[in-house]
Amino acid sequence: MKPESHRSPCPVACTLDLIGDKWTLLVVRDLALGKSHFSEFQKSPEGIATNILSNRLARLLEHGIVEKYPSETIPSREAYRLTKKGKTLKPILKSIFNWGLKYIEGTKPFDEMEQTS
């Protein structure tokens, strides 16, 4: 991977530059919940556009957060999964999830979201 220029050496700023946009952590969330195919990511309730999804997956691949592998369920297709590095984001997602449940009215656990979707 080529060295990148950063707007500052602050680790918070650099991390947000990589995963702090509106969509990237939602893609990581879906991977952590077991989604692996492009079409599965598109079915998430947030409704990510295909061009944005393609861009975010490419960026996550470039940074070693996800990897492609041959799909076991759809012949001649590729699937995605979190790498070891990507899996280290799970506790961060869990903290954001728990914070949202506690402080943002109207949020629901995943099992309740699936029942009402």
Side-chain angles (χ1 to χ4, degrees), residues 59-83:
R59 189 166 56 184
L60 291 168
L61 280 163
E62 178 184 341
H63 288 276
I65 295 169
V66 302
E67 62 187 359
K68 286 183 185 181
Y69 66 99
S71 174
E72 298 166 2
T73 57
I74 305 174
S76 71
R77 294 286 181 153
E78 291 184 319
Y80 299 87
R81 63 181 164 216
L82 292 171
T83 61

Side-chain angles (χ1 to χ4, degrees), residues 16-49:
L16 288 175
D17 287 344
L18 176 58
I19 62 169
D21 67 276
K22 182 177 178 177
W23 298 106
T24 304
L25 277 180
L26 295 175
V27 174
V28 172
R29 173 207 63 192
D30 286 349
L31 286 158
L33 291 173
K35 292 182 181 183
S36 60
H37 294 94
F38 197 90
S39 60
E40 292 174 314
F41 301 124
Q42 288 182 297
K43 292 177 185 172
S44 292
E46 295 82 17
I48 188 169

Side-chain angles (χ1 to χ4, degrees), residues 55-111:
N55 174 275
R56 296 318 184 268
L57 286 168
R59 189 166 56 184
L60 291 168
L61 280 163
E62 178 184 341
H63 288 276
I65 295 169
V66 302
E67 62 187 359
K68 286 183 185 181
Y69 66 99
S71 174
E72 298 166 2
T73 57
I74 305 174
S76 71
R77 294 286 181 153
E78 291 184 319
Y80 299 87
R81 63 181 164 216
L82 292 171
T83 61
K84 184 177 180 181
K85 179 180 176 180
K87 289 176 183 176
T88 64
L89 290 169
K90 287 181 175 183
I92 296 167
L93 284 170
K94 185 171 182 157
S95 292
I96 293 169
F97 174 87
N98 289 333
W99 189 91
L101 276 177
K102 185 172 183 176
Y103 294 110
I104 301 176
E105 189 175 331
T107 59
K108 300 177 183 179
F110 292 122
D111 57 340

